[in-house]
Amino acid sequence: MKADHVWGIVMPAQLGQAVKVRMQQQDSDLGPIVSHPRSNRWTYLIRPDLPDEVRLFAEMFRLDVSVVRTGGTIALPSPTDQCVEFRRWVEPPRCTFRPSGRVVLDAIRICAGLPPHHSIARSERP
């Protein structure tokens, strides 16, 4: 699916599982999550509310996390695919709700041992 009104945050499956647990502990609604077993990655479908900042890109790159923005492609499970080896729903879409990308990023940061709303110190800037 082409990302437009829905974006994706793609991360290693182990981090994705930790983020899911963290969000559930915080009573945050999850929204749809896709597992990609062959690449061992998860994709969280989110609202398109993240800033387009180099600092954010660099921070997530260090964690092996990427954001699929408008114009990108998000791989979804096929309703006709009987093989869960390629893609499967961890949390299927039940309605039109998608969590804020900021909520998912805060959970990622906490699970990675960073403070939420992490900002790079002046000495760390390129």
Side-chain angles (χ1 to χ4, degrees), residues 2 5-6 17 23-24 36 61 68 77 88 91 116 124 126:
K2 281 285 190 201
H5 298 295
V6 174
Q17 177 63 43
M23 288 179 67
Q24 289 171 321
H36 311 268
F61 181 81
V68 181
R88 66 176 180 81
E91 290 289 328
E124 295 179 272

Side-chain angles (χ1 to χ4, degrees), residues 26-63:
Q26 297 298 113
D27 289 326
S28 296
D29 292 327
L30 292 172
I33 304 169
V34 179
S35 169
H36 311 268
R38 290 177 61 163
S39 63
N40 201 30
R41 300 188 65 75
W42 281 19
T43 300
Y44 280 69
L45 300 184
I46 62 165
R47 289 193 306 253
D49 62 353
L50 297 175
D52 188 11
E53 297 176 344
V54 172
R55 289 182 298 146
L56 175 62
F57 171 81
E59 178 189 4
M60 291 299 112
F61 181 81
R62 287 190 291 277
L63 299 174

Side-chain angles (χ1 to χ4, degrees), residues 58-125:
E59 178 189 4
M60 291 299 112
F61 181 81
R62 287 190 291 277
L63 299 174
D64 196 20
V65 174
S66 60
V67 178
V68 181
R69 297 177 177 278
T70 301
T73 302
I74 301 171
L76 300 176
S78 168
T80 60
D81 190 2
Q82 299 302 315
C83 180
V84 295
E85 193 174 308
F86 297 108
R87 288 177 292 277
R88 66 176 180 81
W89 292 107
V90 175
E91 290 289 328
R94 291 177 172 75
C95 63
T96 60
F97 173 79
R98 303 298 175 261
S100 167
R102 296 172 191 274
V103 170
V104 177
L105 286 186
D106 279 349
I108 289 169
R109 289 174 174 133
I110 290 167
C111 292
L114 301 172
H117 305 296
H118 177 70
S119 62
I120 297 175
R122 187 176 299 277
S123 63
E124 295 179 272
R125 290 186 182 152

